[in-house]
Amino acid sequence: MSLAQRRILLGVSGGIAAYKSCELVRRLRELAAEVRVVMTEGATQFVSPTTFQALSGQPVRVSLWDEQAEAAMGHIELARWAERILIAPASADIIARLAHGHADDLLATVCLASAAPLYLAPAMNQQMWAHPAVQANVTLLRQRGAHVLGPADGEQACGDVGSGRMLEPHELRNALQSSFGGGVLDGLHVLVSAGPTYEDIDPVRFIGNRSSGRMGFAVAEAAAQAGAEVTLVAGPVSLATPAGVAQRIDVRSAAQMHAAVLDAARQADIYIAAAAVGDYRPNEVSAQKLKKLDGAKLALQLSENPDILTSLSTQPEHPFLVGFAAETHDVADYAQDKLRRKGLDMIAANQVGDGLGFEAADNALQLYWADGAVELPRAAKPELARQLIAQVAVRYRASRR
Ligand code: PMT
């Protein structure tokens, strides 16, 4: 997964996030990628071409009508030169022009004239990103094979909070890196479940759990970085889709997660179950808000949810199954019991409670399989996820021998 000598054309369109693309050029150059920058007129209002020229070590192109630049490397030559085109930030305007096949400036023309895979890192106000016109253009571009990286949620330069922030430079670099393959999960389809499930009691209350989705999202990102095509089934979380994840399916209840996972598992080689799935659901969901019973006890009748992993392991054909075990005590014993009882190939056990496992930024895992075990000491969840993926890849390959 090296970017050395890879030819990346970075398109920069007009948006305040253009300043982050300076850092992106630096990070790509650190890995010895060859970077050429094409800016829209709008982008030059935010960052000067001279800045990108100094960082990339190459002349920066803005205009289609620059005779001198065309003589040095014509726009068709530039389009052929690129192995990947990444537009970061991708404004609503460039997204619209690309969706409709315009060739009204250099960047749009190069995109039309190039056979290189196109990556877009949208960045705009959250209201603009949510607008049906922008969403329709993004859907169209996706259908034509463009890869859309992000956007992330959070505070925006305009003061709004919501979805529309450009992904961070290291996330974009990782996505480009994994697009060249050569990773330990190259050519494999990995399904990951993450986050909690919510079991509704009435229109305002539910039974949930403390999972933030951070562990599962880190696993999905690490699998994508390792070259896998990743499908992420996410419970109710407030996390942006990690860079490189091909498909995200949002669900709420355990029953919805069960259905989504079983459906997606038909295409998957590996399923990693990091979600904290509710074991029980109320027998009935009240259509109206339940009223207080003035001193009387309220009893909720619960039914057991089907176990997703067991539903898969009992099928004749199923993916390589990696479960998680969240335990407050006797972690090793309970985890090994779940490994056997649920028919898993591997299990990743973590101690939870007292600030461990759930919600935290870091975690520690003990991995078990039928005839082995390994400990992954405490680390930030993204780092731990990369170590887990490396172990899963080894065990998966061994099981196929
Ligand atoms: O999301 P974070 O805040 O980052 O926290 C991470 C985590 C603690 C949630 C994660 O590391 C973790 O341990 N996930 C599994 C939590 C869990 O539900 O464990 P369990 O021991 O109850 O379940 C065992 C396995 O069976 C899990 O893989 C679970 O996804 C699966 N399961 C559970 C119930 C069910 N009905 N179907 C299932 O497939």
Side-chain angles (χ1 to χ4, degrees), residues 304-317:
E304 202 174 338
N305 282 322
D307 191 273
I308 303 170
L309 281 166
T310 308
S311 301
L312 284 170
S313 68
T314 49
Q315 291 181 356
E317 298 264 308

